[in-house]
Amino acid sequence: GQRVVAVSAGYGLSIAITADGAAWSWGLGASGKLGHGDTQDQLLPKKVEALAAGQRIVAVSAGDFHSLAITADGAVFTWGEGERGCLGHGEDLSNQLLPKKVEALAGQRVVAVSA
């Protein structure tokens, strides 16, 4: 099994970080807030594969309609509902079904996020 080192819960979803730096999410998939590339609900924890590609996750935050993660190098990724600009992708207010890097914070070392 995986050793969980952190958990965040939002409206109908949970995200956990395991000791190996992977993120796992489950619950309601509306707006893509689970980060699995679709809007399907997940009844069991499922690895967020888009964050697994060479990224060690050190912090996560699950909100009502979107989620955030910080990598070991301080980059921020967001996914879920983009309607009100809460994902940080500028004029792109579309829902993000997969984690997307917040380019406006490139070069900054972010240490905490909250959804």
Side-chain angles (χ1 to χ4, degrees), residues 4-112:
V4 173
V5 297
V7 177
S8 179
Y11 177 69
L13 79 149
S14 298
I15 306 173
I17 303 172
T18 51
D20 62 355
W24 297 72
S25 65
W26 63 99
L28 299 177
S31 304
K33 64 185 180 178
L34 296 179
H36 299 300
D38 56 33
T39 58
Q40 299 298 308
D41 296 347
Q42 292 294 324
L43 301 180
L44 295 170
K46 180 178 178 180
K47 185 185 262 188
V48 182
E49 295 292 347
L51 290 173
Q55 303 287 344
R56 182 173 180 77
I57 303 304
V58 297
V60 292
S61 183
D64 286 351
F65 304 103
H66 72 293
S67 304
L68 304 95
I70 302 176
T71 63
D73 63 359
V76 176
F77 287 78
T78 61
W79 61 97
E81 185 176 294
E83 183 177 311
R84 292 172 293 280
C86 57
L87 299 181
H89 301 301
E91 298 296 318
D92 181 1
L93 301 180
S94 64
N95 292 352
Q96 298 296 321
L97 302 182
L98 293 169
K100 181 178 178 180
K101 187 174 184 178
V102 178
E103 295 298 341
L105 294 173
Q108 304 296 316
R109 184 171 174 76
V110 177
V111 297

